[in-house]
């Protein structure tokens, strides 16, 4: 972490500043829908920050759509084919990346219609959600949140990584889920999200985040 200088900030202020930054964001590929990643381990709660930004955008009169990658988990028969605690399966096979490309990113390409599927699979019932497609109007933001997002070459226009140090990640991950920690160690080695993300937020102390501005 010596490579990045971080400044203390409040979550409320962070949501406001990120929303203001998004207002000036123009996708390089000409899409009318900016696509934003909120990346982080479940214990880092990147979805909470995405929620704050969505609310800040609403106040500023700009529509957005939150999408949680938990809604694109593969069926349990596929996720758990090699056992409930297989780290390689979690890293490479738990999330339906093809469906995210097809149902979320494809409709937001230049010239597409902006009709995205907000979720596909309910992990609680292990059944299809059957959710209807939703229309994201031109100028609306996709706010996708979840773990391991920056390794799939998704066409994000801005990436935010919510970082926990290894001790904080272990401390804040429920014991039943600590078998996933080697996957995040691998992600750090191979992708280095703390450096590759456009915006870095450190949340070791959930009451006092810091960011790289």
């Amino acid at each position: 972490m010596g490579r990045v200088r971080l400044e203390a900030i409040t979550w409320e202020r962070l949501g406001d500043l990120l929303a203001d930054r998004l207002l000036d964001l123009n996708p390089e590929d000409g899409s009318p829908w900016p696509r934003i990643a909120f990346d982080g381990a479940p214990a880092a709660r990147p979805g909470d920050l995405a929620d704050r930004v969505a609310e800040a955008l609403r106040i500023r009169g700009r529509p957005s759509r939150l999408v949680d990658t938990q809604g694109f988990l593969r069926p349990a028969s596929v996720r758990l084919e090699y056992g409930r605690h297989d780290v390689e399966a979690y890293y490479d096979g738990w999330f339906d990346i093809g469906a995210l490309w097809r149902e979320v990113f494809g409709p937001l390409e230049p010239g597409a219609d902006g009709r995205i599927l907000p979720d596909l699979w309910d992990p609680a019932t292990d059944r299809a959600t059957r959710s209807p497609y939703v229309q994201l109007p031109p100028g609306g933001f996709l706010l996708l949140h979840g773990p391991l997002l920056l390794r799939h070459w998704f066409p994000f226009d801005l990436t935010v990584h919510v970082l926990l140090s290894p001790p904080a990640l272990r401390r804040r991950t429920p014991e039943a889920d600590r078998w996933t920690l080697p996957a995040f160690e691998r992600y750090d080695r191979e992708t280095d999200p703390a450096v590759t993300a456009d915006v870095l937020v450190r949340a070791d102390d959930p009451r006092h985040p810091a960011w790289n501005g």
Side-chain angles (χ1 to χ4, degrees):
M1 285 305 301
R3 294 168 291 178
V4 182
R5 181 173 180 175
L6 302 177
E7 300 177 356
I9 193 170
T10 65
W11 288 112
E12 181 178 7
R13 179 65 172 155
L14 179 58
D16 285 338
L17 290 177
L18 285 174
D20 288 339
R21 182 168 176 175
L22 295 186
L23 296 180
D24 296 324
L25 187 62
N26 294 308
E28 292 185 1
D29 64 359
S31 171
W33 301 284
R35 296 142 297 191
I36 318 303
F38 291 85
D39 175 62
R45 305 182 66 87
D48 289 357
L49 180 55
D51 286 340
R52 288 183 178 274
V53 173
E55 176 60 16
L57 287 169
R58 185 192 67 79
I59 292 171
R60 289 158 174 77
R62 293 292 295 272
S64 65
R65 184 71 197 192
L66 289 157
V67 175
D68 185 349
T69 58
Q70 283 289 112
F72 287 85
L73 283 171
R74 293 182 182 276
S77 60
V78 177
R79 297 197 314 273
L80 308 180
E81 180 180 1
Y82 301 104
R84 291 186 175 274
H85 297 154
D86 188 279
V87 175
E88 295 299 316
Y90 178 76
Y91 193 73
D92 286 320
W94 270 43
F95 297 95
D96 194 338
I97 303 305
L100 282 166
W101 275 104
R102 182 178 65 251
E103 305 291 358
V104 178
F105 288 100
L108 302 182
E109 293 178 351
D113 61 9
R115 293 180 68 249
I116 67 173
L117 192 65
D119 51 59
L120 182 65
W121 200 258
D122 185 339
T125 63
D126 198 37
R127 294 181 179 179
T129 58
R130 303 188 185 280
S131 295
Y133 285 85
V134 296
Q135 184 72 49
L136 189 61
F141 295 89
L142 169 69
L143 308 179
L144 180 69
H145 59 90
L148 311 173
L149 289 179
L150 306 188
R151 56 181 297 261
H152 299 296
W153 300 98
F154 289 137
F156 292 119
D157 302 296
L158 187 80
T159 56
V160 180
H161 177 65
V162 185
L163 173 72
L164 294 178
S165 65
L169 178 59
R170 173 168 290 277
R171 184 173 63 251
R172 291 172 56 184
T173 298
E175 185 174 354
D177 297 329
R178 287 180 182 168
W179 65 270
T180 64
L181 295 180
F184 294 104
E185 294 172 4
R186 178 180 173 187
Y187 183 52
D188 288 344
R189 290 194 308 270
E190 295 183 353
T191 305
D192 201 359
V195 171
T196 57
D198 298 307
V199 177
L200 177 65
V201 179
R202 186 160 187 168
D204 283 9
D205 183 342
R207 300 165 300 175
H208 303 292
W211 77 317
N212 63 349

PDB file of all heavy atoms in Angstrom, residues 9-11 203-209:
ATOM      1  N   ILE A   9     -11.865  10.046   4.607  1.00  0.00           N
ATOM      2  CA  ILE A   9     -13.099  10.621   4.083  1.00  0.00           C
ATOM      3  C   ILE A   9     -14.262   9.918   4.768  1.00  0.00           C
ATOM      4  O   ILE A   9     -14.087   8.837   5.350  1.00  0.00           O
ATOM      5  CB  ILE A   9     -13.173  10.445   2.541  1.00  0.00           C
ATOM      6  CG1 ILE A   9     -14.280  11.321   1.940  1.00  0.00           C
ATOM      7  CG2 ILE A   9     -13.350   8.975   2.168  1.00  0.00           C
ATOM      8  CD1 ILE A   9     -14.249  11.374   0.418  1.00  0.00           C
ATOM      9  N   THR A  10     -15.449  10.501   4.730  1.00  0.00           N
ATOM     10  CA  THR A  10     -16.634   9.824   5.235  1.00  0.00           C
ATOM     11  C   THR A  10     -17.321   9.097   4.081  1.00  0.00           C
ATOM     12  O   THR A  10     -17.150   9.442   2.909  1.00  0.00           O
ATOM     13  CB  THR A  10     -17.629  10.813   5.850  1.00  0.00           C
ATOM     14  OG1 THR A  10     -18.132  11.689   4.818  1.00  0.00           O
ATOM     15  CG2 THR A  10     -16.964  11.643   6.948  1.00  0.00           C
ATOM     16  N   TRP A  11     -18.108   8.086   4.407  1.00  0.00           N
ATOM     17  CA  TRP A  11     -18.830   7.368   3.359  1.00  0.00           C
ATOM     18  C   TRP A  11     -19.790   8.289   2.617  1.00  0.00           C
ATOM     19  O   TRP A  11     -19.927   8.203   1.393  1.00  0.00           O
ATOM     20  CB  TRP A  11     -19.592   6.190   3.960  1.00  0.00           C
ATOM     21  CG  TRP A  11     -18.739   5.065   4.396  1.00  0.00           C
ATOM     22  CD1 TRP A  11     -18.512   4.640   5.677  1.00  0.00           C
ATOM     23  CD2 TRP A  11     -17.972   4.181   3.557  1.00  0.00           C
ATOM     24  NE1 TRP A  11     -17.666   3.561   5.690  1.00  0.00           N
ATOM     25  CE2 TRP A  11     -17.317   3.261   4.404  1.00  0.00           C
ATOM     26  CE3 TRP A  11     -17.777   4.086   2.181  1.00  0.00           C
ATOM     27  CZ2 TRP A  11     -16.492   2.246   3.917  1.00  0.00           C
ATOM     28  CZ3 TRP A  11     -16.956   3.084   1.688  1.00  0.00           C
ATOM     29  CH2 TRP A  11     -16.326   2.184   2.540  1.00  0.00           C
ATOM     30  N   ALA A 203     -11.105   0.188   3.480  1.00  0.00           N
ATOM     31  CA  ALA A 203     -12.204   0.127   4.450  1.00  0.00           C
ATOM     32  C   ALA A 203     -11.885  -0.812   5.604  1.00  0.00           C
ATOM     33  O   ALA A 203     -12.779  -1.462   6.138  1.00  0.00           O
ATOM     34  CB  ALA A 203     -13.484  -0.309   3.743  1.00  0.00           C
ATOM     35  N   ASP A 204     -10.617  -0.872   6.034  1.00  0.00           N
ATOM     36  CA  ASP A 204     -10.261  -1.734   7.159  1.00  0.00           C
ATOM     37  C   ASP A 204     -11.086  -1.389   8.396  1.00  0.00           C
ATOM     38  O   ASP A 204     -11.564  -2.271   9.105  1.00  0.00           O
ATOM     39  CB  ASP A 204      -8.779  -1.594   7.481  1.00  0.00           C
ATOM     40  CG  ASP A 204      -7.901  -2.357   6.504  1.00  0.00           C
ATOM     41  OD1 ASP A 204      -8.430  -2.843   5.491  1.00  0.00           O
ATOM     42  OD2 ASP A 204      -6.684  -2.465   6.748  1.00  0.00           O
ATOM     43  N   ASP A 205     -11.234  -0.097   8.657  1.00  0.00           N
ATOM     44  CA  ASP A 205     -12.128   0.376   9.704  1.00  0.00           C
ATOM     45  C   ASP A 205     -13.403   0.847   9.018  1.00  0.00           C
ATOM     46  O   ASP A 205     -13.389   1.877   8.341  1.00  0.00           O
ATOM     47  CB  ASP A 205     -11.497   1.535  10.480  1.00  0.00           C
ATOM     48  CG  ASP A 205     -12.377   2.014  11.634  1.00  0.00           C
ATOM     49  OD1 ASP A 205     -13.590   1.711  11.629  1.00  0.00           O
ATOM     50  OD2 ASP A 205     -11.848   2.709  12.517  1.00  0.00           O
ATOM     51  N   PRO A 206     -14.495   0.106   9.119  1.00  0.00           N
ATOM     52  CA  PRO A 206     -15.697   0.468   8.372  1.00  0.00           C
ATOM     53  C   PRO A 206     -16.262   1.830   8.734  1.00  0.00           C
ATOM     54  O   PRO A 206     -17.048   2.399   7.974  1.00  0.00           O
ATOM     55  CB  PRO A 206     -16.678  -0.655   8.722  1.00  0.00           C
ATOM     56  CG  PRO A 206     -16.183  -1.213  10.009  1.00  0.00           C
ATOM     57  CD  PRO A 206     -14.690  -1.087   9.967  1.00  0.00           C
ATOM     58  N   ARG A 207     -15.846   2.387   9.855  1.00  0.00           N
ATOM     59  CA  ARG A 207     -16.340   3.720  10.249  1.00  0.00           C
ATOM     60  C   ARG A 207     -15.510   4.837   9.637  1.00  0.00           C
ATOM     61  O   ARG A 207     -15.969   5.981   9.578  1.00  0.00           O
ATOM     62  CB  ARG A 207     -16.310   3.843  11.770  1.00  0.00           C
ATOM     63  CG  ARG A 207     -17.162   2.820  12.516  1.00  0.00           C
ATOM     64  CD  ARG A 207     -16.782   2.790  13.977  1.00  0.00           C
ATOM     65  NE  ARG A 207     -15.367   2.428  14.148  1.00  0.00           N
ATOM     66  CZ  ARG A 207     -14.733   2.416  15.310  1.00  0.00           C
ATOM     67  NH1 ARG A 207     -15.379   2.752  16.417  1.00  0.00           N
ATOM     68  NH2 ARG A 207     -13.452   2.061  15.365  1.00  0.00           N
ATOM     69  N   HIS A 208     -14.299   4.514   9.193  1.00  0.00           N
ATOM     70  CA  HIS A 208     -13.375   5.559   8.741  1.00  0.00           C
ATOM     71  C   HIS A 208     -12.667   5.123   7.464  1.00  0.00           C
ATOM     72  O   HIS A 208     -11.510   4.695   7.498  1.00  0.00           O
ATOM     73  CB  HIS A 208     -12.350   5.872   9.833  1.00  0.00           C
ATOM     74  CG  HIS A 208     -12.943   6.284  11.139  1.00  0.00           C
ATOM     75  ND1 HIS A 208     -13.617   7.476  11.302  1.00  0.00           N
ATOM     76  CD2 HIS A 208     -12.983   5.645  12.346  1.00  0.00           C
ATOM     77  CE1 HIS A 208     -14.029   7.569  12.554  1.00  0.00           C
ATOM     78  NE2 HIS A 208     -13.680   6.477  13.201  1.00  0.00           N
ATOM     79  N   PRO A 209     -13.353   5.231   6.318  1.00  0.00           N
ATOM     80  CA  PRO A 209     -12.702   4.844   5.058  1.00  0.00           C
ATOM     81  C   PRO A 209     -11.654   5.880   4.644  1.00  0.00           C
ATOM     82  O   PRO A 209     -11.604   6.999   5.170  1.00  0.00           O
ATOM     83  CB  PRO A 209     -13.860   4.820   4.064  1.00  0.00           C
ATOM     84  CG  PRO A 209     -14.830   5.834   4.610  1.00  0.00           C
ATOM     85  CD  PRO A 209     -14.737   5.691   6.110  1.00  0.00           C
TER      86      PRO A 209
END
